[in-house]
Amino acid sequence: QQVVVQNNRELIRMSDFKVTNAKCKGDRTGGIDVTIAGGKAPYTFRWSNNRTTEDLINVPANAYGLTVTDADTCRVIFPSIR
């Protein structure tokens, strides 16, 4: 007898993102707006600066990593968004 385990869900992916550059060096006027698809909603978010919102607002210029976890605890890491 054979047992087959399948995962028919689409993998978590970033379907779109928009970066707002900081106006001046050191200003906290930048942001990253992401759109996540796939996996199973709801998602949780953890940015490299420890914020847990879907989008970053009022941040200085930098590269930010994002970890997204879905309701099935599947996880994907986006290492550097600029």
Side-chain angles (χ1 to χ4, degrees):
Q1 182 173 348
Q2 184 179 25
V3 177
V4 177
V5 178
Q6 293 181 326
N7 181 356
N8 294 327
R9 293 200 196 284
E10 185 180 346
L11 296 176
I12 300 168
R13 70 187 190 327
M14 189 178 307
S15 62
D16 193 25
F17 73 97
K18 179 183 176 191
V19 174
T20 302
N21 292 320
K23 293 178 182 175
C24 295
K25 184 178 180 180
D27 280 355
R28 293 182 171 272
T29 54
I32 302 174
D33 178 5
V34 299
T35 303
I36 301 297
K40 181 179 177 185
Y43 307 106
T44 59
F45 303 89
R46 174 142 327 256
W47 290 89
S48 55
N49 65 353
N50 288 321
R51 290 205 187 163
T52 56
T53 56
E54 178 176 354
D55 303 319
L56 283 182
I57 58 170
N58 300 323
V59 293
N62 204 345
Y64 295 92
L66 172 62
T67 301
V68 179
T69 306
D70 74 2
D72 287 334
T73 66
C74 294
R75 181 174 293 149
V76 66
I77 299 171
F78 303 99
S80 182
I81 304 169
R82 293 179 182 248

